[in-house]
Amino acid sequence: MPFRSTAEAVHAWVEGWAVSRGAAEPTRAAWGFTVQVGLPKEVARHVLTAADEATVRKLAENSAAGVALKTFVPAPDLEAWLPPGWGLLDGHAVFMAVPLTGLGTPPGLPEGYQLSCWNRGGVTRVVVRAADGAFAARGQIAVTGATAAVDQVETAPAHQRRGLGRVVMGSLAEAGVRQGAKAAVLGATEEGRALYETIGWQVLAPLSAAMRTTDTGSGANGR
């Protein structure tokens, strides 16, 4: 594992994710981090480096609608700890990491596709377009010192199973190394996990998330 502990990897992920999404600087707490996201559907998120039932319940009961909890426990465990008014979020299922050195050069693009890459505000974005200019795949990486967070990787359904995910991930890894990163982290779906494991990524922990969807009266003022 390229990190001394999962908690260290989580710290790298939180810092990189905040840069990737243009969120506020994460603030530390005894249980993990809070990030002010500032979006209508996600006002803020609490990322728990070591979740337990008591901590999850306390945070959930004192959070307003639109606040997300990110934990590194299986989704059924998180669901059992949530008070009324909360629900699990679809999406990420595992937390993964990889050493960026030694991954090799990105594979070549399949015929008919073109790749664009640019860096702005500390975030490198990679976009693959089809021959007609339509969107085919994308991803981005934010480097924060010796570590980086890979984010928003996706391939359009019409262009899946053509190796574009490997191209995007390889290009992002190459960009991270150029900027001094030695290891990277990401949150992956089960679908994404299947690809990432074949190119060297390792699962560090399960990853589950929940959000308050209704105001039950408790903790209505949030934080």
Side-chain angles (χ1 to χ4, degrees):
M1 185 174 79
F3 295 92
R4 289 172 294 182
S5 65
T6 299
E8 183 180 73
V10 171
H11 185 193
W13 184 55
V14 172
E15 291 286 345
W17 186 92
V19 172
S20 178
R21 300 297 180 94
E25 182 73 20
T27 58
R28 283 182 176 270
W31 40 261
F33 303 89
T34 294
V35 182
Q36 300 298 327
V37 183
L39 296 175
K41 292 185 178 180
E42 187 178 356
V43 179
R45 62 170 50 185
H46 300 310
V47 183
L48 285 70
T49 51
D52 57 61
E53 182 173 2
T55 304
V56 167
R57 286 192 173 276
K58 182 176 180 181
L59 283 173
E61 288 168 357
N62 290 280
S63 295
V67 174
L69 296 179
K70 299 283 181 173
T71 70
F72 302 88
V73 299
D77 291 355
L78 176 59
E79 187 174 33
W81 299 340
L82 294 170
W86 283 77
L88 293 179
L89 295 173
D90 294 330
H92 296 156
V94 291
F95 181 53
M96 307 185 77
V98 72
L100 290 178
T101 54
L103 287 182
T105 58
L109 273 173
E111 186 176 353
Y113 290 94
Q114 52 186 318
L115 182 145
S116 299
C117 180
W118 67 92
N119 184 293
R120 191 170 182 85
V123 182
T124 299
R125 292 174 171 83
V126 170
V127 174
V128 178
R129 292 181 294 162
D132 63 357
F135 168 79
R138 69 164 177 167
Q140 59 196 59
I141 188 169
V143 175
T144 51
T147 62
V150 173
D151 191 23
Q152 295 195 318
V153 177
E154 65 172 305
T155 302
H159 300 278
Q160 292 176 355
R161 303 189 182 281
R162 302 184 187 183
L164 299 183
R166 288 177 177 270
V167 171
V168 168
M169 293 297 289
S171 299
L172 293 176
E174 194 174 61
V177 170
R178 284 199 305 268
Q179 295 171 62
K182 293 179 171 37
V185 288
L186 59 72
T189 62
E190 282 296 344
E191 263 189 347
R193 171 183 180 173
L195 165 64
Y196 304 146
E197 285 185 322
T198 66
I199 56 176
W201 288 74
Q202 176 186 354
V203 174
L204 300 186
L207 176 56
S208 56
M211 182 171 287
R212 186 164 197 156
T213 55
T214 61
D215 185 357
T216 61
S218 174
N221 292 326
R223 55 176 288 175

